[in-house]
Every structure is written in C-alpha cells, then in structure tokens.
Amino acid sequence: MTRKVQRSGRTLADAQQNLEKALKGRHVVADDDAELSRDSTVNDPIAEWLTEARAAGRGAQGTLRTYSTRADSTIKPGIGGVRLSEVTVPKLDRFVKTTTKHHGPGTARTVRTVLINAFDLAARHGLADFNLAKNIAPIPATRKTPEAPSRETVYALIQHLKQYDA
C-alpha cells in the first residue's frame, strides 16, 4: 500500500528537507538481509514470531493454534495492516480495549499476549526501541462468585446416586 507523506516548512527548501528527513526515518531496516522493516505491517512480526515459536517448540500445539487463530480472526482485520512505524501504545491499548468490549476478556488477553510476543521480536530485530505492547493496560480479571448447590439439589443428587448403586 502506497502512502502519501507530506511535510511543510517556512520555505520550499525547508519543506523539502523536512520531507527527506521524514522519508529517511520511515524506511529503517535492521539488516540488509532482514525480511522485516519499519514499513512492515503488524501482521508480519506476528507471522514471524509464530513461525519461530513452532520451529523452536515453544508452547503447546493447541496454544500456538489459539494464538494463530486470534491473530487471523481478531488482529489481522483490526490493526494487522498498520505499519510498525505507525504503531503507538495508545493505538494498541485502544485496540485491546475494543477487543475486550466486543469479544470478551479471554480473547483480549490472548490478543495482548500475541502482540507482546510479536513486538518483542520487532524490538529484537531493531524495528522498535522498546516493546510497545508491554505498555498495554492489563485486562481486568472477571471473577464469578461460586454458587453452592441448594440443599434440595444435594439431596436429589444423593437419591440418584443411591438408586444408581442399587
């Protein structure tokens, strides 16, 4: 996706210098051979992290499958197309809060975990100064108060068990 970049200045020469600075800052690559750059989208480090985790045997297969599913179903359509250079902590935080609202706290926790791991990878590759996702607000725990069965329910269960044993 091509994006327009515009800068201004007091004079035409100032505007051109500001534009050149902005363009140089947008295309930072950690290595010449690196597949990821600051122009990569959020989807790219997620895919790279999942590939690394599978290859290294980190995490159970079911857990990695859950992470992959959440990445495809929630992150990809949400902020997956945002470039790494455009990602901010408030943007990630709003996305996770919206995910909590629409999909529940369990999905939001999984999404947050995927983002933290993907941005750890981005930081290791020199694409970010620090892991932006670690500053996302924690998702509050939803605790349900346990409900004890009523006396009648317990007596009925005991009667069923006695009948079964007989």
Side-chain angles (χ1 to χ4, degrees), residues 7 27 52 64 130 133:
R7 295 293 182 265
H27 192 67
E52 275 186 14
L64 292 175
F130 62 97

Side-chain angles (χ1 to χ4, degrees), residues 88-99:
T88 61
V89 174
K91 193 176 285 190
L92 291 174
D93 194 53
R94 278 192 307 273
F95 174 70
V96 170
K97 285 179 179 168
T98 302
T99 302

Side-chain angles (χ1 to χ4, degrees), residues 68-155:
S68 180
T69 301
R70 290 294 175 246
D72 291 340
S73 66
T74 308
I75 298 172
K76 188 180 269 188
I79 61 166
V82 177
R83 291 176 190 236
L84 295 176
S85 61
E86 298 169 341
V87 174
T88 61
V89 174
K91 193 176 285 190
L92 291 174
D93 194 53
R94 278 192 307 273
F95 174 70
V96 170
K97 285 179 179 168
T98 302
T99 302
T100 304
K101 181 179 174 185
H102 294 293
H103 301 286
T107 299
R109 279 188 207 93
T110 304
V111 164
R112 184 175 184 267
T113 300
V114 170
L115 289 171
I116 286 172
N117 285 297
F119 278 95
D120 263 347
L121 182 132
R124 283 195 314 270
H125 284 250
L127 304 174
D129 295 332
F130 62 97
N131 185 337
L132 298 167
K134 284 190 177 176
N135 293 308
I136 298 171
I139 292 90
T142 53
R143 301 204 194 276
K144 294 181 180 178
T145 54
E147 289 184 28
S150 68
R151 180 176 288 177
E152 292 79 23
T153 305
V154 172
Y155 288 141

Side-chain angles (χ1 to χ4, degrees), residues 38-73:
R38 291 180 52 83
D39 286 335
S40 299
T41 63
V42 172
N43 290 328
D44 298 331
I46 291 172
E48 182 81 20
W49 168 70
L50 285 168
T51 303
E52 275 186 14
R54 284 187 185 106
R58 279 184 261 135
Q61 292 299 318
T63 303
L64 292 175
R65 194 176 319 112
T66 300
Y67 291 156
S68 180
T69 301
R70 290 294 175 246
D72 291 340
S73 66

